Amino acid sequence: DSGVTQTPKHLITATGQRVTLRCSPRSGDLSVYWYQQSLDQGLQFLIQYYNGEERAKGNILERFSAQQFPDLHSELNLSSLELGDSALYFCASSPTSGRARTGELFFGEGSRLTVL
Amino acid sequence: GENVEQHPSTLSVQEGDSAVIKCTYSDSASNYFPWYKQELGKRPQLIIDIRSNVGEKKDQRIAVTLNKTAKHFSLHITETQPEDSAVYFCAASPSGGTSYGKLTFGQGTILTVHP
């Protein structure tokens, strides 16, 4: 168990719909990262939040958005869903202070999204 | 942006043999290079990492080497065991500030260790 919690584990929805994926980072971790894993694109960095603020952006579509709340949990919103958005979405957190700046990302178990 | 190429895409070895996976990267600003192992249906987990001020790092049967001049790094697994079977990903990122988690991953190598 990495300490990172993601919900839901599985989600099936239709094209055009909107879904929200939720992530709770490890206790004390201020950074949350979202990654998308698909067969054709591999593991791709989407976005990073640090203590409530957007810190880095990757190949995230305009239809996708994220936020990190004061309690440090994060949500990834995916809208106007297309078949190609079907993927495994991982959230990860990392320690960012003191002895814990090892660089390791702790991944959650992922949310598998299927768009029909 | 950064581009990481990983080879081979599949690797099949006999138990006890060594396995080597190679990666190249494009951005000279990258200086943090982790390797993640992902078992089927599971989350990626860090197995070893190296920073640019180090040329080699070992952890029991696993070692990583880095050649910054050539922009390539490699994972070496010795005395492979069936439980080493998984997908291995290399990655690169800048390690300044809080950005080391912004990883660019290679495409992955499916390692199969036959008993």
Side-chain angles (χ1 to χ4, degrees):
Chain A
D1 183 9
S2 66
V4 177
T5 304
Q6 287 188 249
T7 57
K9 288 187 168 43
H10 302 277
L11 191 55
I12 301 174
T13 189
T15 54
Q17 295 298 304
R18 171 190 168 96
V19 298
T20 297
L21 310 180
R22 182 187 167 101
C23 169
S24 293
R26 294 187 330 149
S27 177
D29 287 356
L30 301 180
S31 275
V32 169
Y33 303 82
W34 286 97
Y35 281 83
Q36 179 193 58
Q37 185 172 37
S38 60
L39 283 175
D40 56 343
Q41 297 291 328
L43 259 170
Q44 284 207 311
F45 168 74
L46 294 179
I47 198 164
Q48 176 202 358
Y49 277 81
Y50 176 78
N51 202 20
E53 293 186 0
E54 182 183 304
R55 184 57 62 98
K57 226 169 184 177
N59 298 323
I60 187 166
L61 299 171
E62 285 192 12
R63 299 183 286 109
F64 296 0
S65 65
Q67 54 185 329
Q68 185 179 28
F69 295 87
D71 66 352
L72 300 178
H73 91 270
S74 178
E75 292 181 356
L76 179 66
N77 301 296
L78 315 174
S79 62
S80 302
L81 286 167
E82 302 175 358
L83 296 178
D85 297 328
S86 295
L88 189 54
Y89 291 85
F90 283 108
C91 169
S93 72
S94 66
T96 50
S97 62
R99 64 128 183 109
R101 281 194 61 178
T102 62
E104 180 172 4
L105 287 185
F106 293 87
F107 284 85
E109 296 296 331
S111 292
R112 183 169 295 281
L113 173 66
T114 303
V115 182
L116 301 176
Chain B
E2 176 65 276
N3 182 48
V4 177
E5 297 285 337
Q6 183 173 345
H7 299 280
S9 54
T10 60
L11 181 57
S12 184
V13 300
Q14 289 296 126
E15 183 176 1
D17 288 351
S18 294
V20 180
I21 303 171
K22 298 183 178 183
C23 290
T24 60
Y25 62 99
S26 62
D27 190 350
S28 56
S30 290
N31 50 18
Y32 173 63
F33 308 94
W35 287 86
Y36 281 80
K37 175 183 179 182
Q38 186 177 25
E39 296 176 359
L40 189 63
K42 305 279 188 168
R43 59 188 171 89
Q45 290 187 270
L46 180 72
I47 56 171
I48 195 167
D49 58 10
I50 192 168
R51 288 180 170 77
S52 60
N53 58 343
V54 175
E56 183 175 355
K57 185 176 177 180
K58 272 186 179 179
D59 183 3
Q60 299 182 349
R61 296 185 296 108
I62 294 172
V64 58
T65 59
L66 171 65
N67 183 327
K68 276 221 83 176
T69 303
K71 295 200 186 83
H72 66 71
F73 55 114
S74 301
L75 177 71
H76 304 251
I77 306 174
T78 59
E79 301 170 26
T80 54
Q81 301 166 4
E83 50 265 39
D84 294 329
S85 297
V87 182
Y88 290 81
F89 293 95
C90 62
S93 87
S95 65
T98 58
S99 59
Y100 53 74
K102 182 186 173 185
L103 300 175
T104 300
F105 282 91
Q107 287 298 99
T109 295
I110 302 172
L111 173 63
T112 304
V113 181
H114 299 282

